Amino acid sequence: MSDSTDFAAEYLAGATMPALIGGRWVEAEHRATLTTRDPGTGAPLAKVPAMDRGDVDHAVQAAHHAFRHSGWATMSAAERGVLLHRLADEVERRKLAIARVEAADAGKILTQAEGDVQNLVDTLRYFIEMSLRVQRRTPLAVRGHEAATVRLPWGACGFIFPWNFPFLLIGWGISPALVAGNTVVIKPAEDTPLSALMLGRIAQEVGIPDGVINVVTGTGEAAGAALAGHPGLRRMSFTGSPEVGRLVAEACGRNLVPVKLELGGKGAAVVFDDVDIDATADKLAKAITFHTGQVCCDATRWLVQRSIYDRFVEACVARLEQIRVGYQLEPATQMGPVVNAKQRERVLGYLDRGRAEGAKLVLPGGRANVPGHDGFYVKPALLAGSLDNVAAREEIFGPVAYLTPFDDEEQAVALANDTDYGLANSVWSADLDRARQVAEQMVAGNSWINAHNVFPLGVPYGGIKKSGMGGGVLSVEAFLDYTRGLSVVRPL
């Protein structure tokens, strides 16, 4: 196995990195390529195949063949666990190399990228251990019959992942599918494909059978649409925007393929007047600037009790003005770039639209100048005013929060729930009884208390309404999603 430093250098050398189908490293049938770039400099990193329908069909066929003939689906959970533990161990050994590539490809601060790599390792190990404990056959007490239900893997499963957490979300997605005995086809985002290809290579090196893990690269319109609409899949998972999620769901619906959608959010942070103002402002400032606000479950609507509203806003402005925006691989950087020029213009456009609709620019934000780096940088921004504003209602996906005051618990809950999204909210209060009461009234998949962006293994994480459908991740629910039920019955 290659040295960790050399391993990273290969993926950042500007060469064309092939895709993985059925154990073979291949170009696109039509030889087309895409260039992935460093968001912090705009410089090209590498080229990857721009695959289309024919390539995706080969990948799904390879996954189907591996499911039927590689022995993966019929191994015991312990046998699969041995191979997957080897995969987790080798990923952990190469953590820094993978993180360097992830940081360069996605614009992540290096320490955050290292955390994402470790997250995949921990998630995979969690599901391996779960698979050893979950009962696959359950006898049923049915009069006059010998009966049982059996949980079995589905087959070839498709996954489309976004650019904000490329490696971490692969772990969240494919770990339960693999430990259950399924095979997978991964389609990473066109902006951030490199870490998925690295994972495919490591999987091959540690002995995961050919075709169990396949990685196809390309645009969403070509490779992504082809995967979502492929009738040979047995399950589909998409993580991304609600707009594209609808298209994926429609495509899966035509083939009657079950689909899990993990979509966007417009979360609220409800801040009561008994909090430590400075500490709470600091935590929310860190949340909104983490990965430059490109986090679907972020608290982007800050609802603050009126009696402390002015002091809280002042504390937030002071904290955000101190954020050091810079190149993601420089140690002093606290917030790096957004992923590309399109995303930068999206963030800046929402600031303009929000102001045009009457929002007050409490902290104006705008483009950030990082000397020596011609990347896609923006400053943190705070807006305030009515929640009818476009910047308060639509997902911006940048370091932007929108503030408004509330008077009492009833109004706070009403404001928090007045959204088309339903992913994650947080409640901030020293009164834990009140915090729990408010948290349980949220119309969303997740409510956090005195914290935001909390993902302990074993707790289901998922969304409702425009934020998703199909069950949570990180829990036994996800494992069961990737098994199908079979009833076996014998009359007595």
Side-chain angles (χ1 to χ4, degrees):
M1 297 181 184
S2 57
D3 175 80
S4 186
T5 303
D6 294 340
F7 189 52
E10 290 180 56
Y11 286 82
L12 301 176
T16 298
M17 309 305 301
L20 178 61
I21 296 178
R24 297 176 54 242
W25 292 94
V26 298
E27 299 178 352
E29 283 186 334
H30 300 294
R31 301 294 189 268
T33 61
L34 297 170
T35 299
T36 180
R37 297 180 179 274
D38 182 335
T41 64
L45 296 174
K47 294 181 180 179
V48 298
M51 294 181 145
D52 59 16
R53 188 169 301 277
D55 302 293
V56 170
D57 182 59
H58 293 327
V60 174
Q61 289 184 36
H64 182 63
H65 184 271
F67 181 75
R68 296 190 64 186
H69 300 292
S70 72
W72 184 255
T74 55
M75 288 181 186
S76 68
E79 290 173 316
R80 277 194 300 269
V82 168
L83 291 173
L84 290 172
H85 267 306
R86 290 176 187 168
L87 177 60
D89 292 346
E90 188 61 19
V91 168
E92 189 170 46
R93 188 180 76 84
R94 298 185 181 183
K95 178 165 62 175
L96 182 57
I98 300 169
R100 287 185 188 280
V101 172
E102 187 84 332
D105 206 21
K108 286 181 173 288
I109 293 174
L110 182 58
T111 54
Q112 295 175 4
E114 289 185 68
D116 287 0
V117 177
Q118 188 63 48
N119 192 289
L120 180 145
V121 171
D122 295 341
T123 300
L124 183 53
R125 289 172 175 161
Y126 166 76
F127 280 107
I128 294 168
E129 296 306 313
M130 176 189 294
S131 72
L132 300 175
R133 299 192 306 270
V134 170
Q135 185 171 311
R136 302 292 187 104
R137 184 181 185 278
T138 304
L140 302 176
V142 180
R143 182 178 180 182
H145 297 80
E146 178 186 81
T149 58
V150 183
R151 307 299 305 184
L152 301 167
W154 285 89
C157 300
F159 293 86
I160 299 176
F161 294 109
W163 44 257
N164 59 335
F165 289 88
F167 204 70
L168 177 149
L169 289 175
I170 287 176
W172 287 18
I174 72 170
S175 294
L178 290 175
V179 301
N182 300 283
T183 57
V184 303
V185 179
I186 299 168
K187 193 284 178 187
E190 61 194 83
D191 287 296
T192 56
L194 298 183
S195 60
L197 295 172
M198 296 179 84
L199 180 67
R201 179 166 161 184
I202 296 172
Q204 192 175 54
E205 290 179 353
V206 301
I208 302 295
D210 290 346
V212 170
I213 297 177
N214 305 273
V215 183
V216 295
T217 55
T219 66
E221 294 82 0
L227 185 59
H230 201 291
L233 293 176
R234 294 296 173 260
R235 280 199 71 90
M236 182 69 208
S237 173
F238 170 80
T239 306
S241 71
E243 293 75 21
V244 179
R246 287 193 181 96
L247 299 176
V248 171
E250 289 172 7
C252 291
R254 285 191 292 271
N255 294 321
L256 298 179
V257 173
V259 60
K260 178 192 290 285
L261 301 176
E262 299 167 40
L263 308 177
K266 196 68 179 178
V270 176
V271 182
F272 284 99
D273 60 6
D274 58 352
V275 298
D276 181 320
I277 291 177
D278 289 334
T280 304
D282 181 68
K283 290 178 181 178
L284 286 177
K286 287 178 179 176
I288 200 64
T289 56
F290 178 75
H291 194 30
T292 321
Q294 298 168 121
V295 183
C296 57
C297 54
D298 251 343
T300 53
R301 296 177 298 143
W302 296 355
L303 315 179
V304 184
Q305 197 152 24
R306 195 177 301 275
S307 59
I308 63 166
Y309 180 81
D310 290 338
R311 287 182 292 153
F312 187 80
V313 171
E314 182 180 346
C316 291
V317 170
R319 179 67 185 87
L320 289 170
E321 285 180 332
Q322 298 172 4
I323 294 293
R324 292 190 296 274
V325 179
Y327 184 57
Q328 64 267 25
L329 293 176
E330 293 180 351
T333 294
Q334 294 176 310
M335 190 177 84
V338 293
V339 72
N340 55 30
K342 179 181 178 181
Q343 188 62 22
R344 179 177 61 187
E345 294 311 308
R346 175 185 174 92
V347 173
L348 299 178
Y350 268 107
L351 294 178
D352 291 340
R353 292 169 63 191
R355 181 174 57 184
E357 290 192 9
K360 178 183 177 182
L361 289 182
V362 178
L363 185 66
R367 290 175 182 255
N369 178 41
V370 177
H373 297 288
D374 187 22
F376 313 118
Y377 299 96
V378 295
K379 301 175 184 177
L382 292 176
L383 295 87
S386 168
L387 293 185
D388 291 332
N389 191 285
V390 65
R393 303 203 71 82
E394 297 183 10
E395 187 175 37
I396 298 173
F397 229 55
V400 181
Y402 198 102
L403 293 116
T404 201
F406 70 86
D407 293 307
D408 54 33
E409 289 180 30
E410 183 178 359
Q411 185 186 23
V413 171
L415 290 172
N417 289 337
D418 185 18
T419 174
D420 293 332
Y421 292 94
L423 187 51
N425 302 303
S426 55
V427 183
W428 303 78
S429 176
D431 184 342
L432 294 183
D433 288 337
R434 174 171 65 179
R436 292 189 191 97
Q437 180 178 336
V438 171
E440 292 178 7
Q441 296 180 68
M442 298 298 186
V443 183
N446 307 276
S447 286
W448 297 311
I449 294 175
N450 293 333
H452 206 91
N453 295 336
V454 184
F455 312 103
L457 291 166
V459 177
Y461 169 81
I464 61 173
K465 300 195 288 186
K466 281 179 65 175
S467 292
M469 55 179 260
V473 296
L474 299 180
S475 69
V476 70
E477 288 183 7
F479 176 83
L480 295 176
D481 277 345
Y482 289 100
T483 62
R484 61 180 177 85
L486 172 66
S487 297
V488 181
V489 183
R490 180 177 69 91
L492 298 177

